[in-house]
Amino acid sequence: MLTVFFDLWSDKKRSKISSVKTFSSSCVFVRLQVVLKIIKHYQEEGQGSEVVQGVLLGLVVEDRLEITNCFPFPQHTEDDVDFDEVQYQMEMMRSLRHVNIDHLHVGWYQSTYYGSFVSRALLDSQFSYQHAIEESVVLIYDPIKTAQGSLCLKAYRLTPKLMEICKEKDFSPEGLKKACIGYEHMFEEVPIVIKNSHLINVLLLDLQEKSTVADKHELLNLSSSNHLEKSLQLLMDRMDDMSQDIGKYNTYCRNLSKQQQQKQQYLQRRQQENAQRQSRGEPPLPEEDISKMFKPPQAPARMDTLLIAGQINNYCQNIKEFTSQNLGKLFMAEALQGHSS
Amino acid sequence: MNQCDWQGATARIPWRPALSFSSSPFVTILHFLYKIMAVHGPFVKIHPVVLASIVDSYERRNEGASRVIGTLLGTADKHSVEVTNCFSVPHNESEDEVAVDMEFAKNMYELHKKVSPSEVIIGWYATGYDITEHSVLIHEYYSREAPNPIHMTVDTALQSNKMNIRAYVSSQMGVPGKTVGVMFTPLTIKYIYYDTERIGVDLLQRTRASPSRTNGLTTDLAQVASAAGHVQEMLSTMLSYIEDVLSGKVMADNSVGRYLMDLVNKVPKITAEDFESMLNSNINDLLMVTYLANLTQAQIALNEKLVVL
């Protein structure tokens, strides 16, 4: 039963990944200490639903992106109001250059709360990064999923279509229709590969020998209701946003059609009057500029809808992954009971 | 596979007296040892992120430099010291002199403090096997920055086929007033992880096995399968041990027997119907949520198509 499930879900997963095309980098190489630093940063400085951010440093080798180091950003809510982020960054980079650490800014990382990271802020930041360096990525670290047993680190990049749109800043429905971009094609996930040097391997060997065996196997934990509750709640909030957005769009459509009708009526009346005047021998009324009279209503920006849809999609994906894992675990528990009873 | 804590050997005390000393030093040594233990205890807890950074800065060292030094940051309390972060400091070393960029060290510390204000300088590290005279000088500098700093050595040159990671505290020795020297006493090292760190490191252990030293992150069900496999391995190890005891090859140990009893009792005894109903309700919940998620995805896809019309 377990293998059947595994086949089903892995097939779905594989097909989804292959449908997204990667354009320049085929994968991202990450070193051990970057992973550990990100984990540590969240653990120490991020509590609850606050996000922690930082900068990734590395280099671009042929078609791959290698991330070799990172440093964290202090929280924005510091009481030191005149804290200069740019200056902090400059100083940090300068210092790191002295110790031969790659100082090319290749991206940034952010922690996320239950997978909610698709937002306007992220889009803007990533766009500015990608504008400067084509291969830059944003690493999303999910601490809650990691605490459940498996390291959850994903690298995303904006698709070229989305880059085009951001450049034009044309977020109207027509613009989006032209580019035919859907919420699934906003971000492309770049697979992460952990690559270590031989010396790090020796270190890992040493660590394994000298550390105690992990006594918590979080991955096999059966309790799921807490996580499901929170995820569903976030999903519901997003759906509310979505329905509001749809409502707005519908009103816009209705206004547009009403205006069209009014325009038609006005034209008709004009023609009738003109016909009457002609029959009476009077000069026809001057043609008025119709477009000035009937100004078309403002089309609502579609970017938010796209973002919300992307976020909902993300939530659903996460939920499905979670439920598939838990189903597997439940069947294992059943087998265990079966043996003893 | 070691199931118990590793504790370093405290028998050997490496000391390099700057000058020879006379009369009974034992009392003084004991006195100072007691004093250090009272301040720092015998434990140094290190996070793996520190070691990874040290190895990385060693790999990036300048041409001609044989070792790398840097500052250790962390927290210290009465009984132990916890090292959570580090950064390397550029330095020049030659036969008779050593120059360390203090300005740089101070600057970096300020920057790091902005992110995590609770971390303080608690010592310094150096790669390499032995403690040299230069280390004494550098250690002196660090004693000005932090009370009783820790000195850590990481043997990246792998002199004894292993990466020996050691920590020391320095203490004065000799006859007070006359000839004094510095002695480095070793401390025991414990590796400490946050839960999430542990999970990350366990995953990355697998990179050792692959020939290209790379590893991708696996998908959902595969992870559960591998965790189950891991548990299965542990169970088979235990089973073989039990077989040995039963056949008389190994002496039975009472404490192990008690653990085994605990283990077997941990599987809860539930009547079949209760278990069935619990299982079914859980499965129903999960399936319902999956169905809802799929429905939502279909909904937004539809919505998108309608807008584009």
Side-chain angles (χ1 to χ4, degrees), chain A residues 23-28 59-67 104-107 126 129-138 155-157 190:
Chain A
F23 70 99
S24 65
S25 283
S26 48
C27 60
V28 173
L59 56 151
V60 181
V61 176
E62 299 157 22
D63 63 338
R64 291 190 322 259
L65 183 67
E66 284 202 28
I67 300 180
L104 183 63
H105 233 152
V106 292
Q126 182 58 20
Y129 265 97
Q130 236 171 293
H131 201 56
I133 305 173
E134 221 184 75
E135 284 88 1
S136 66
V137 292
V138 53
Y156 289 103
R157 195 188 277 139
V190 188

PDB file of all heavy atoms in Angstrom, chain A residues 23-28 59-67 104-107 126 129-138 155-157 190:
ATOM      1  N   PHE A  23      15.748  28.322 -17.165  1.00  0.00           N
ATOM      2  CA  PHE A  23      16.362  28.908 -18.349  1.00  0.00           C
ATOM      3  C   PHE A  23      17.874  28.948 -18.310  1.00  0.00           C
ATOM      4  O   PHE A  23      18.520  28.445 -19.200  1.00  0.00           O
ATOM      5  CB  PHE A  23      15.758  30.269 -18.674  1.00  0.00           C
ATOM      6  CG  PHE A  23      16.114  31.355 -17.686  1.00  0.00           C
ATOM      7  CD1 PHE A  23      17.129  32.252 -17.965  1.00  0.00           C
ATOM      8  CD2 PHE A  23      15.403  31.501 -16.510  1.00  0.00           C
ATOM      9  CE1 PHE A  23      17.445  33.272 -17.091  1.00  0.00           C
ATOM     10  CE2 PHE A  23      15.718  32.514 -15.635  1.00  0.00           C
ATOM     11  CZ  PHE A  23      16.740  33.401 -15.914  1.00  0.00           C
ATOM     12  N   SER A  24      18.485  29.534 -17.326  1.00  0.00           N
ATOM     13  CA  SER A  24      19.936  29.555 -17.458  1.00  0.00           C
ATOM     14  C   SER A  24      20.619  28.566 -16.522  1.00  0.00           C
ATOM     15  O   SER A  24      21.413  27.759 -16.967  1.00  0.00           O
ATOM     16  CB  SER A  24      20.481  30.950 -17.242  1.00  0.00           C
ATOM     17  OG  SER A  24      20.256  31.352 -15.922  1.00  0.00           O
ATOM     18  N   SER A  25      20.308  28.606 -15.234  1.00  0.00           N
ATOM     19  CA  SER A  25      20.998  27.697 -14.334  1.00  0.00           C
ATOM     20  C   SER A  25      20.212  26.416 -14.186  1.00  0.00           C
ATOM     21  O   SER A  25      19.009  26.437 -14.016  1.00  0.00           O
ATOM     22  CB  SER A  25      21.147  28.315 -12.958  1.00  0.00           C
ATOM     23  OG  SER A  25      22.170  29.246 -12.975  1.00  0.00           O
ATOM     24  N   SER A  26      20.905  25.318 -14.239  1.00  0.00           N
ATOM     25  CA  SER A  26      20.187  24.069 -14.092  1.00  0.00           C
ATOM     26  C   SER A  26      20.035  23.699 -12.627  1.00  0.00           C
ATOM     27  O   SER A  26      19.098  23.041 -12.255  1.00  0.00           O
ATOM     28  CB  SER A  26      20.927  22.963 -14.827  1.00  0.00           C
ATOM     29  OG  SER A  26      22.299  23.026 -14.479  1.00  0.00           O
ATOM     30  N   CYS A  27      20.958  24.099 -11.812  1.00  0.00           N
ATOM     31  CA  CYS A  27      20.789  23.823 -10.403  1.00  0.00           C
ATOM     32  C   CYS A  27      21.653  24.790  -9.600  1.00  0.00           C
ATOM     33  O   CYS A  27      22.457  25.518 -10.148  1.00  0.00           O
ATOM     34  CB  CYS A  27      21.164  22.397 -10.064  1.00  0.00           C
ATOM     35  SG  CYS A  27      22.854  22.010 -10.445  1.00  0.00           S
ATOM     36  N   VAL A  28      21.440  24.778  -8.319  1.00  0.00           N
ATOM     37  CA  VAL A  28      22.161  25.670  -7.426  1.00  0.00           C
ATOM     38  C   VAL A  28      22.977  24.817  -6.465  1.00  0.00           C
ATOM     39  O   VAL A  28      22.436  23.922  -5.836  1.00  0.00           O
ATOM     40  CB  VAL A  28      21.161  26.543  -6.632  1.00  0.00           C
ATOM     41  CG1 VAL A  28      21.881  27.334  -5.584  1.00  0.00           C
ATOM     42  CG2 VAL A  28      20.418  27.466  -7.557  1.00  0.00           C
ATOM     43  N   LEU A  59      29.349  32.569  -6.359  1.00  0.00           N
ATOM     44  CA  LEU A  59      29.823  32.875  -7.697  1.00  0.00           C
ATOM     45  C   LEU A  59      29.043  32.079  -8.724  1.00  0.00           C
ATOM     46  O   LEU A  59      28.360  31.124  -8.395  1.00  0.00           O
ATOM     47  CB  LEU A  59      31.317  32.590  -7.828  1.00  0.00           C
ATOM     48  CG  LEU A  59      31.818  31.204  -7.491  1.00  0.00           C
ATOM     49  CD1 LEU A  59      33.044  30.929  -8.321  1.00  0.00           C
ATOM     50  CD2 LEU A  59      32.193  31.104  -6.038  1.00  0.00           C
ATOM     51  N   VAL A  60      29.162  32.527  -9.966  1.00  0.00           N
ATOM     52  CA  VAL A  60      28.492  31.849 -11.061  1.00  0.00           C
ATOM     53  C   VAL A  60      29.545  31.111 -11.866  1.00  0.00           C
ATOM     54  O   VAL A  60      30.492  31.719 -12.351  1.00  0.00           O
ATOM     55  CB  VAL A  60      27.770  32.863 -11.961  1.00  0.00           C
ATOM     56  CG1 VAL A  60      27.067  32.141 -13.083  1.00  0.00           C
ATOM     57  CG2 VAL A  60      26.802  33.681 -11.156  1.00  0.00           C
ATOM     58  N   VAL A  61      29.378  29.808 -11.952  1.00  0.00           N
ATOM     59  CA  VAL A  61      30.354  28.992 -12.664  1.00  0.00           C
ATOM     60  C   VAL A  61      29.647  28.348 -13.845  1.00  0.00           C
ATOM     61  O   VAL A  61      28.740  27.561 -13.656  1.00  0.00           O
ATOM     62  CB  VAL A  61      30.900  27.878 -11.744  1.00  0.00           C
ATOM     63  CG1 VAL A  61      31.828  26.977 -12.529  1.00  0.00           C
ATOM     64  CG2 VAL A  61      31.620  28.487 -10.564  1.00  0.00           C
ATOM     65  N   GLU A  62      30.070  28.694 -15.047  1.00  0.00           N
ATOM     66  CA  GLU A  62      29.411  28.219 -16.271  1.00  0.00           C
ATOM     67  C   GLU A  62      27.921  28.447 -16.179  1.00  0.00           C
ATOM     68  O   GLU A  62      27.457  29.560 -16.183  1.00  0.00           O
ATOM     69  CB  GLU A  62      29.703  26.737 -16.514  1.00  0.00           C
ATOM     70  CG  GLU A  62      31.148  26.404 -16.693  1.00  0.00           C
ATOM     71  CD  GLU A  62      31.390  24.942 -16.359  1.00  0.00           C
ATOM     72  OE1 GLU A  62      30.426  24.159 -16.418  1.00  0.00           O
ATOM     73  OE2 GLU A  62      32.525  24.598 -16.040  1.00  0.00           O
ATOM     74  N   ASP A  63      27.137  27.389 -16.061  1.00  0.00           N
ATOM     75  CA  ASP A  63      25.706  27.606 -15.987  1.00  0.00           C
ATOM     76  C   ASP A  63      25.163  27.315 -14.599  1.00  0.00           C
ATOM     77  O   ASP A  63      23.964  27.237 -14.408  1.00  0.00           O
ATOM     78  CB  ASP A  63      25.004  26.703 -17.015  1.00  0.00           C
ATOM     79  CG  ASP A  63      25.231  25.233 -16.690  1.00  0.00           C
ATOM     80  OD1 ASP A  63      26.212  24.927 -15.985  1.00  0.00           O
ATOM     81  OD2 ASP A  63      24.432  24.407 -17.133  1.00  0.00           O
ATOM     82  N   ARG A  64      26.041  27.172 -13.632  1.00  0.00           N
ATOM     83  CA  ARG A  64      25.563  26.842 -12.298  1.00  0.00           C
ATOM     84  C   ARG A  64      25.788  28.022 -11.388  1.00  0.00           C
ATOM     85  O   ARG A  64      26.690  28.812 -11.591  1.00  0.00           O
ATOM     86  CB  ARG A  64      26.357  25.666 -11.725  1.00  0.00           C
ATOM     87  CG  ARG A  64      26.137  24.368 -12.363  1.00  0.00           C
ATOM     88  CD  ARG A  64      26.800  23.298 -11.500  1.00  0.00           C
ATOM     89  NE  ARG A  64      28.039  23.739 -10.954  1.00  0.00           N
ATOM     90  CZ  ARG A  64      29.234  23.396 -11.447  1.00  0.00           C
ATOM     91  NH1 ARG A  64      29.289  22.637 -12.516  1.00  0.00           N
ATOM     92  NH2 ARG A  64      30.340  23.820 -10.871  1.00  0.00           N
ATOM     93  N   LEU A  65      24.983  28.060 -10.370  1.00  0.00           N
ATOM     94  CA  LEU A  65      25.162  29.094  -9.361  1.00  0.00           C
ATOM     95  C   LEU A  65      25.686  28.406  -8.112  1.00  0.00           C
ATOM     96  O   LEU A  65      25.101  27.435  -7.654  1.00  0.00           O
ATOM     97  CB  LEU A  65      23.814  29.747  -9.081  1.00  0.00           C
ATOM     98  CG  LEU A  65      23.833  30.896  -8.085  1.00  0.00           C
ATOM     99  CD1 LEU A  65      24.581  32.051  -8.669  1.00  0.00           C
ATOM    100  CD2 LEU A  65      22.411  31.302  -7.775  1.00  0.00           C
ATOM    101  N   GLU A  66      26.794  28.879  -7.583  1.00  0.00           N
ATOM    102  CA  GLU A  66      27.315  28.277  -6.355  1.00  0.00           C
ATOM    103  C   GLU A  66      27.203  29.274  -5.229  1.00  0.00           C
ATOM    104  O   GLU A  66      27.698  30.390  -5.335  1.00  0.00           O
ATOM    105  CB  GLU A  66      28.796  27.899  -6.537  1.00  0.00           C
ATOM    106  CG  GLU A  66      28.988  26.666  -7.367  1.00  0.00           C
ATOM    107  CD  GLU A  66      30.333  26.018  -7.094  1.00  0.00           C
ATOM    108  OE1 GLU A  66      30.869  26.153  -5.984  1.00  0.00           O
ATOM    109  OE2 GLU A  66      30.829  25.387  -8.021  1.00  0.00           O
ATOM    110  N   ILE A  67      26.579  28.843  -4.170  1.00  0.00           N
ATOM    111  CA  ILE A  67      26.437  29.729  -3.020  1.00  0.00           C
ATOM    112  C   ILE A  67      27.427  29.265  -1.965  1.00  0.00           C
ATOM    113  O   ILE A  67      27.330  28.142  -1.473  1.00  0.00           O
ATOM    114  CB  ILE A  67      25.004  29.673  -2.483  1.00  0.00           C
ATOM    115  CG1 ILE A  67      24.064  30.119  -3.586  1.00  0.00           C
ATOM    116  CG2 ILE A  67      24.853  30.579  -1.284  1.00  0.00           C
ATOM    117  CD1 ILE A  67      22.639  30.100  -3.183  1.00  0.00           C
ATOM    118  N   LEU A 104      30.465  38.353  -4.316  1.00  0.00           N
ATOM    119  CA  LEU A 104      29.442  38.598  -5.319  1.00  0.00           C
ATOM    120  C   LEU A 104      28.090  38.291  -4.696  1.00  0.00           C
ATOM    121  O   LEU A 104      27.848  37.210  -4.179  1.00  0.00           O
ATOM    122  CB  LEU A 104      29.692  37.710  -6.535  1.00  0.00           C
ATOM    123  CG  LEU A 104      28.713  37.935  -7.681  1.00  0.00           C
ATOM    124  CD1 LEU A 104      28.861  39.351  -8.192  1.00  0.00           C
ATOM    125  CD2 LEU A 104      29.003  36.956  -8.785  1.00  0.00           C
ATOM    126  N   HIS A 105      27.221  39.268  -4.789  1.00  0.00           N
ATOM    127  CA  HIS A 105      25.880  39.144  -4.249  1.00  0.00           C
ATOM    128  C   HIS A 105      25.039  38.282  -5.166  1.00  0.00           C
ATOM    129  O   HIS A 105      24.634  38.765  -6.208  1.00  0.00           O
ATOM    130  CB  HIS A 105      25.278  40.545  -4.341  1.00  0.00           C
ATOM    131  CG  HIS A 105      24.744  41.009  -3.093  1.00  0.00           C
ATOM    132  ND1 HIS A 105      24.695  42.330  -2.788  1.00  0.00           N
ATOM    133  CD2 HIS A 105      24.219  40.350  -2.061  1.00  0.00           C
ATOM    134  CE1 HIS A 105      24.160  42.453  -1.602  1.00  0.00           C
ATOM    135  NE2 HIS A 105      23.859  41.282  -1.137  1.00  0.00           N
ATOM    136  N   VAL A 106      24.780  37.072  -4.817  1.00  0.00           N
ATOM    137  CA  VAL A 106      24.046  36.270  -5.793  1.00  0.00           C
ATOM    138  C   VAL A 106      22.620  36.012  -5.403  1.00  0.00           C
ATOM    139  O   VAL A 106      21.917  35.275  -6.078  1.00  0.00           O
ATOM    140  CB  VAL A 106      24.722  34.906  -6.037  1.00  0.00           C
ATOM    141  CG1 VAL A 106      26.023  35.113  -6.731  1.00  0.00           C
ATOM    142  CG2 VAL A 106      24.895  34.166  -4.749  1.00  0.00           C
ATOM    143  N   GLY A 107      22.169  36.566  -4.320  1.00  0.00           N
ATOM    144  CA  GLY A 107      20.779  36.328  -3.987  1.00  0.00           C
ATOM    145  C   GLY A 107      20.551  36.640  -2.533  1.00  0.00           C
ATOM    146  O   GLY A 107      21.382  37.257  -1.861  1.00  0.00           O
ATOM    147  N   GLN A 126      13.127  40.397  -5.393  1.00  0.00           N
ATOM    148  CA  GLN A 126      13.719  39.427  -6.303  1.00  0.00           C
ATOM    149  C   GLN A 126      13.892  40.033  -7.685  1.00  0.00           C
ATOM    150  O   GLN A 126      14.872  39.757  -8.367  1.00  0.00           O
ATOM    151  CB  GLN A 126      12.838  38.177  -6.380  1.00  0.00           C
ATOM    152  CG  GLN A 126      13.391  37.085  -7.260  1.00  0.00           C
ATOM    153  CD  GLN A 126      14.766  36.627  -6.840  1.00  0.00           C
ATOM    154  OE1 GLN A 126      15.174  36.849  -5.710  1.00  0.00           O
ATOM    155  NE2 GLN A 126      15.492  36.019  -7.737  1.00  0.00           N
ATOM    156  N   TYR A 129      16.999  42.134  -7.669  1.00  0.00           N
ATOM    157  CA  TYR A 129      18.188  41.278  -7.673  1.00  0.00           C
ATOM    158  C   TYR A 129      18.421  40.683  -9.044  1.00  0.00           C
ATOM    159  O   TYR A 129      19.529  40.657  -9.563  1.00  0.00           O
ATOM    160  CB  TYR A 129      18.023  40.128  -6.682  1.00  0.00           C
ATOM    161  CG  TYR A 129      18.623  40.394  -5.337  1.00  0.00           C
ATOM    162  CD1 TYR A 129      17.854  40.853  -4.293  1.00  0.00           C
ATOM    163  CD2 TYR A 129      19.972  40.171  -5.120  1.00  0.00           C
ATOM    164  CE1 TYR A 129      18.414  41.098  -3.071  1.00  0.00           C
ATOM    165  CE2 TYR A 129      20.529  40.410  -3.890  1.00  0.00           C
ATOM    166  CZ  TYR A 129      19.743  40.872  -2.870  1.00  0.00           C
ATOM    167  OH  TYR A 129      20.292  41.114  -1.648  1.00  0.00           O
ATOM    168  N   GLN A 130      17.328  40.176  -9.632  1.00  0.00           N
ATOM    169  CA  GLN A 130      17.502  39.476 -10.878  1.00  0.00           C
ATOM    170  C   GLN A 130      17.814  40.433 -12.015  1.00  0.00           C
ATOM    171  O   GLN A 130      18.427  40.051 -12.996  1.00  0.00           O
ATOM    172  CB  GLN A 130      16.237  38.677 -11.222  1.00  0.00           C
ATOM    173  CG  GLN A 130      16.564  37.232 -11.415  1.00  0.00           C
ATOM    174  CD  GLN A 130      15.336  36.382 -11.534  1.00  0.00           C
ATOM    175  OE1 GLN A 130      14.591  36.232 -10.589  1.00  0.00           O
ATOM    176  NE2 GLN A 130      15.128  35.841 -12.706  1.00  0.00           N
ATOM    177  N   HIS A 131      17.377  41.672 -11.851  1.00  0.00           N
ATOM    178  CA  HIS A 131      17.693  42.662 -12.854  1.00  0.00           C
ATOM    179  C   HIS A 131      19.191  42.889 -12.902  1.00  0.00           C
ATOM    180  O   HIS A 131      19.796  43.028 -13.953  1.00  0.00           O
ATOM    181  CB  HIS A 131      16.984  43.965 -12.484  1.00  0.00           C
ATOM    182  CG  HIS A 131      16.817  44.877 -13.630  1.00  0.00           C
ATOM    183  ND1 HIS A 131      16.177  44.516 -14.788  1.00  0.00           N
ATOM    184  CD2 HIS A 131      17.220  46.136 -13.815  1.00  0.00           C
ATOM    185  CE1 HIS A 131      16.189  45.521 -15.617  1.00  0.00           C
ATOM    186  NE2 HIS A 131      16.813  46.518 -15.065  1.00  0.00           N
ATOM    187  N   ALA A 132      19.791  42.912 -11.700  1.00  0.00           N
ATOM    188  CA  ALA A 132      21.229  43.146 -11.638  1.00  0.00           C
ATOM    189  C   ALA A 132      22.012  41.902 -12.047  1.00  0.00           C
ATOM    190  O   ALA A 132      22.903  41.956 -12.874  1.00  0.00           O
ATOM    191  CB  ALA A 132      21.611  43.571 -10.223  1.00  0.00           C
ATOM    192  N   ILE A 133      21.650  40.782 -11.432  1.00  0.00           N
ATOM    193  CA  ILE A 133      22.365  39.538 -11.734  1.00  0.00           C
ATOM    194  C   ILE A 133      21.344  38.536 -12.210  1.00  0.00           C
ATOM    195  O   ILE A 133      20.406  38.198 -11.496  1.00  0.00           O
ATOM    196  CB  ILE A 133      23.039  38.968 -10.475  1.00  0.00           C
ATOM    197  CG1 ILE A 133      23.920  40.017  -9.863  1.00  0.00           C
ATOM    198  CG2 ILE A 133      23.831  37.741 -10.809  1.00  0.00           C
ATOM    199  CD1 ILE A 133      24.474  39.597  -8.538  1.00  0.00           C
ATOM    200  N   GLU A 134      21.546  38.023 -13.406  1.00  0.00           N
ATOM    201  CA  GLU A 134      20.502  37.191 -13.987  1.00  0.00           C
ATOM    202  C   GLU A 134      20.232  35.920 -13.235  1.00  0.00           C
ATOM    203  O   GLU A 134      19.124  35.410 -13.220  1.00  0.00           O
ATOM    204  CB  GLU A 134      20.895  36.857 -15.422  1.00  0.00           C
ATOM    205  CG  GLU A 134      19.750  36.928 -16.368  1.00  0.00           C
ATOM    206  CD  GLU A 134      20.177  36.489 -17.746  1.00  0.00           C
ATOM    207  OE1 GLU A 134      20.336  35.264 -17.932  1.00  0.00           O
ATOM    208  OE2 GLU A 134      20.380  37.368 -18.582  1.00  0.00           O
ATOM    209  N   GLU A 135      21.271  35.363 -12.627  1.00  0.00           N
ATOM    210  CA  GLU A 135      21.076  34.046 -12.037  1.00  0.00           C
ATOM    211  C   GLU A 135      20.682  34.077 -10.579  1.00  0.00           C
ATOM    212  O   GLU A 135      20.674  33.035  -9.938  1.00  0.00           O
ATOM    213  CB  GLU A 135      22.354  33.207 -12.135  1.00  0.00           C
ATOM    214  CG  GLU A 135      22.635  32.640 -13.496  1.00  0.00           C
ATOM    215  CD  GLU A 135      23.429  33.603 -14.311  1.00  0.00           C
ATOM    216  OE1 GLU A 135      23.738  34.666 -13.770  1.00  0.00           O
ATOM    217  OE2 GLU A 135      23.729  33.293 -15.465  1.00  0.00           O
ATOM    218  N   SER A 136      20.360  35.236 -10.037  1.00  0.00           N
ATOM    219  CA  SER A 136      20.181  35.241  -8.587  1.00  0.00           C
ATOM    220  C   SER A 136      18.906  34.507  -8.193  1.00  0.00           C
ATOM    221  O   SER A 136      17.940  34.439  -8.938  1.00  0.00           O
ATOM    222  CB  SER A 136      20.160  36.662  -8.049  1.00  0.00           C
ATOM    223  OG  SER A 136      19.049  37.325  -8.510  1.00  0.00           O
ATOM    224  N   VAL A 137      18.943  33.961  -6.996  1.00  0.00           N
ATOM    225  CA  VAL A 137      17.814  33.178  -6.503  1.00  0.00           C
ATOM    226  C   VAL A 137      17.440  33.689  -5.125  1.00  0.00           C
ATOM    227  O   VAL A 137      18.215  34.377  -4.467  1.00  0.00           O
ATOM    228  CB  VAL A 137      18.173  31.686  -6.375  1.00  0.00           C
ATOM    229  CG1 VAL A 137      18.377  31.071  -7.708  1.00  0.00           C
ATOM    230  CG2 VAL A 137      19.391  31.518  -5.506  1.00  0.00           C
ATOM    231  N   VAL A 138      16.251  33.327  -4.719  1.00  0.00           N
ATOM    232  CA  VAL A 138      15.872  33.560  -3.332  1.00  0.00           C
ATOM    233  C   VAL A 138      15.689  32.194  -2.687  1.00  0.00           C
ATOM    234  O   VAL A 138      14.987  31.334  -3.217  1.00  0.00           O
ATOM    235  CB  VAL A 138      14.599  34.429  -3.227  1.00  0.00           C
ATOM    236  CG1 VAL A 138      13.464  33.864  -4.033  1.00  0.00           C
ATOM    237  CG2 VAL A 138      14.181  34.583  -1.787  1.00  0.00           C
ATOM    238  N   ALA A 155      14.886  26.933  -3.651  1.00  0.00           N
ATOM    239  CA  ALA A 155      15.420  28.105  -4.345  1.00  0.00           C
ATOM    240  C   ALA A 155      14.452  28.483  -5.450  1.00  0.00           C
ATOM    241  O   ALA A 155      14.037  27.646  -6.235  1.00  0.00           O
ATOM    242  CB  ALA A 155      16.784  27.786  -4.945  1.00  0.00           C
ATOM    243  N   TYR A 156      14.109  29.770  -5.508  1.00  0.00           N
ATOM    244  CA  TYR A 156      13.178  30.229  -6.521  1.00  0.00           C
ATOM    245  C   TYR A 156      13.786  31.357  -7.322  1.00  0.00           C
ATOM    246  O   TYR A 156      14.606  32.123  -6.846  1.00  0.00           O
ATOM    247  CB  TYR A 156      11.894  30.747  -5.875  1.00  0.00           C
ATOM    248  CG  TYR A 156      11.044  29.673  -5.292  1.00  0.00           C
ATOM    249  CD1 TYR A 156      11.021  29.454  -3.935  1.00  0.00           C
ATOM    250  CD2 TYR A 156      10.268  28.859  -6.107  1.00  0.00           C
ATOM    251  CE1 TYR A 156      10.253  28.467  -3.393  1.00  0.00           C
ATOM    252  CE2 TYR A 156       9.497  27.870  -5.569  1.00  0.00           C
ATOM    253  CZ  TYR A 156       9.489  27.673  -4.209  1.00  0.00           C
ATOM    254  OH  TYR A 156       8.729  26.684  -3.673  1.00  0.00           O
ATOM    255  N   ARG A 157      13.273  31.441  -8.527  1.00  0.00           N
ATOM    256  CA  ARG A 157      13.693  32.532  -9.395  1.00  0.00           C
ATOM    257  C   ARG A 157      12.475  32.972 -10.185  1.00  0.00           C
ATOM    258  O   ARG A 157      11.571  32.173 -10.431  1.00  0.00           O
ATOM    259  CB  ARG A 157      14.762  31.981 -10.340  1.00  0.00           C
ATOM    260  CG  ARG A 157      15.545  33.022 -11.053  1.00  0.00           C
ATOM    261  CD  ARG A 157      16.402  32.368 -12.071  1.00  0.00           C
ATOM    262  NE  ARG A 157      17.618  31.881 -11.482  1.00  0.00           N
ATOM    263  CZ  ARG A 157      18.159  30.735 -11.782  1.00  0.00           C
ATOM    264  NH1 ARG A 157      17.575  29.932 -12.629  1.00  0.00           N
ATOM    265  NH2 ARG A 157      19.277  30.366 -11.225  1.00  0.00           N
ATOM    266  N   VAL A 190      14.360  26.088  -8.613  1.00  0.00           N
ATOM    267  CA  VAL A 190      15.649  25.573  -9.068  1.00  0.00           C
ATOM    268  C   VAL A 190      16.104  24.502  -8.083  1.00  0.00           C
ATOM    269  O   VAL A 190      16.114  24.746  -6.881  1.00  0.00           O
ATOM    270  CB  VAL A 190      16.697  26.701  -9.105  1.00  0.00           C
ATOM    271  CG1 VAL A 190      17.962  26.218  -9.753  1.00  0.00           C
ATOM    272  CG2 VAL A 190      16.146  27.896  -9.838  1.00  0.00           C
TER     273      VAL A 190
END
